[in-house]
């Protein structure tokens, strides 16, 4: 299996953690919802469902970005130049996994 294919599995898992956190985190999504209502009321045509969807998307994106910060700091520390190291995707996956822990309980309670 090629190195790119192996990394795709990391990216899929990272995206899955972001989706779970964006949909089921009861602390992060209402916080993002307030920002959506203040910053983009005209963009969403006053639709509550679009505002909740945008808040969920913002929470998912924030999870993925915040989870990647430790991996970026690690790459900076080891001095990776052209391609990232093999440890970086693990760090990114672990970071998003830790950020998703509050939402995992809600995810399994709903039993999707």
């Amino acid at each position: 299996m090629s190195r790119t294919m192996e990394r795709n599995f990391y990216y899929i898992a990272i995206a899955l953690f972001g989706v779970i956190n964006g949909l089921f985190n009861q602390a992060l999504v209402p916080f993002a919802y307030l920002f959506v209502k203040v910053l983009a009321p005209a963009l969403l045509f006053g639709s509550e469902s679009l505002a909740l969807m945008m808040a969920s998307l913002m929470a998912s994106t924030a999870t993925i970005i915040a989870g990647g910060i430790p991996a970026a700091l690690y790459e900076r520390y080891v001095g990776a130049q052209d391609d990232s190291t093999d440890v970086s995707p693990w760090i990114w996956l672990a970071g998003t996994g830790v950020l998703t822990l509050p939402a995992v309980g809600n995810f399994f309670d709903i039993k999707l």
Side-chain angles (χ1 to χ4, degrees):
M1 192 180 303
S2 69
R3 182 177 170 145
T4 304
M5 190 64 172
E6 291 174 6
R7 290 197 177 211
N8 286 342
F9 293 124
Y10 289 116
Y11 299 146
I12 291 168
I14 289 166
L16 181 66
F17 280 146
V19 168
I20 290 171
N21 201 30
L23 290 175
F24 297 103
N25 193 331
Q26 293 180 348
L28 187 59
V29 175
F31 183 70
Y33 177 75
L34 292 174
F35 279 104
V36 169
K37 292 301 280 186
V38 170
L39 297 175
L43 176 68
L44 302 173
F45 307 110
S47 172
E48 291 298 316
S49 60
L50 284 176
L52 284 170
M53 182 85 71
M54 184 65 83
S56 177
L57 183 64
M58 285 175 57
S60 297
T61 305
T63 301
I64 293 171
I65 290 171
I69 291 173
L73 291 174
Y74 171 76
E75 285 187 0
R76 181 77 170 172
Y77 178 73
V78 298
Q81 294 294 326
D82 295 331
D83 196 16
S84 65
T85 63
D86 291 332
V87 178
S88 298
W90 276 107
I91 295 172
W92 194 6
L93 183 64
T96 55
V98 167
L99 291 173
T100 306
L101 283 176
V104 169
N106 295 333
F107 176 71
F108 287 118
D109 191 28
I110 294 173
K111 301 206 185 332
L112 292 175

